[in-house]
Amino acid sequence: EKSISTCDEIAIKDDGRNFTPVCYAGAFMQIFQPLDTDDKSLVSKFNLTSENTWDFCKKFDGQKRVTCREESWPLYLEQISSADGLIKFCGVLDAKGTDACFINILYLIPIQFRFNIPAITNYCSGFPDKLQGMCFAMTASRILEQQRQQQTIQAWRGTGIWVRVDIGRFNYF
């Protein structure tokens, strides 16, 4: 909670640029996706599970609540691996938050399915029409982003600077 309130203090710049959404995402990501021993020790007191995370997130309002829910997705991998499960996962938020949740989680889905187009097509086809279109759009966006990143990696390799990218550790399904 201290990290979140710190975001409110430091993330809005004098020129009006607002970085609070990115700051909130980073703070909640550290809680739900700790990467190393230090991270894990910092968040161990929360003891969050899929059973109590929503109660934790409900303590926050507005964008903070939405971001908390979105960043908790690793605790709900099995649930969000189906269209109905994602609808339920995001559906606890208000209408604006639900839409934001769908957009952000659907952007992750291609990675979780390891860019397996038939599996993603099957997943997206399980949504009602409006969300089905969003699912395919976010998939296309993510695939284009992945291709751009791969081109960047290839460009770096061409410079003689060795770059190692281990995307395998981020695949959860």
Side-chain angles (χ1 to χ4, degrees):
E1 292 177 25
K2 185 176 180 182
S3 295
I4 299 301
S5 62
T6 301
C7 288
D8 294 330
E9 296 170 19
I10 65 168
I12 299 177
K13 302 303 175 193
D14 293 337
D15 63 5
R17 291 176 297 152
N18 183 351
F19 294 100
T20 54
V22 176
C23 190
Y24 297 153
F28 286 119
M29 186 183 291
Q30 183 158 15
I31 292 170
F32 296 113
Q33 302 172 52
L35 296 177
D36 59 29
T37 306
D38 290 338
D39 287 349
K40 290 175 184 171
S41 67
L42 284 171
V43 300
S44 63
K45 66 180 179 185
F46 293 111
N47 196 28
L48 294 171
T49 67
S50 60
E51 287 79 33
N52 64 8
T53 294
W54 179 233
D55 289 332
F56 172 77
C57 290
K58 286 191 295 188
K59 295 190 294 186
F60 302 97
D61 293 319
Q63 182 63 46
K64 296 171 193 170
R65 180 180 291 180
V66 173
T67 305
C68 181
R69 184 63 171 174
E70 291 169 353
E71 295 300 332
S72 72
W73 68 267
L75 299 177
Y76 298 87
L77 285 173
E78 187 174 332
Q79 180 180 345
I80 67 171
S81 68
S82 73
D84 289 339
L86 183 58
I87 290 169
K88 183 178 175 184
F89 175 82
C90 292
V92 297
L93 298 163
D94 63 24
K96 185 177 176 184
T98 297
D99 286 345
C101 180
F102 283 132
I103 289 168
N104 288 314
I105 301 300
L106 288 172
Y107 191 70
L108 301 171
I109 292 300
I111 294 172
Q112 304 316 313
F113 282 104
R114 299 179 183 199
F115 295 95
N116 178 321
I117 299 304
I120 296 168
T121 300
N122 186 52
Y123 179 81
C124 290
S125 297
F127 286 103
D129 288 344
K130 176 187 172 194
L131 293 176
Q132 193 174 98
M134 185 186 296
C135 185
F136 284 118
M138 295 311 298
T139 295
S141 177
R142 187 54 176 218
I143 289 170
L144 291 172
E145 176 65 18
Q146 182 71 15
Q147 288 174 343
R148 187 182 66 74
Q149 288 175 357
Q150 291 299 325
Q151 290 170 350
T152 301
I153 291 167
Q154 292 302 323
W156 275 98
R157 285 185 182 151
T159 66
I161 299 171
W162 288 96
V163 177
R164 182 172 187 272
V165 178
D166 184 6
I167 62 168
R169 73 185 217 116
F170 296 105
N171 295 319
Y172 294 95
F173 291 171

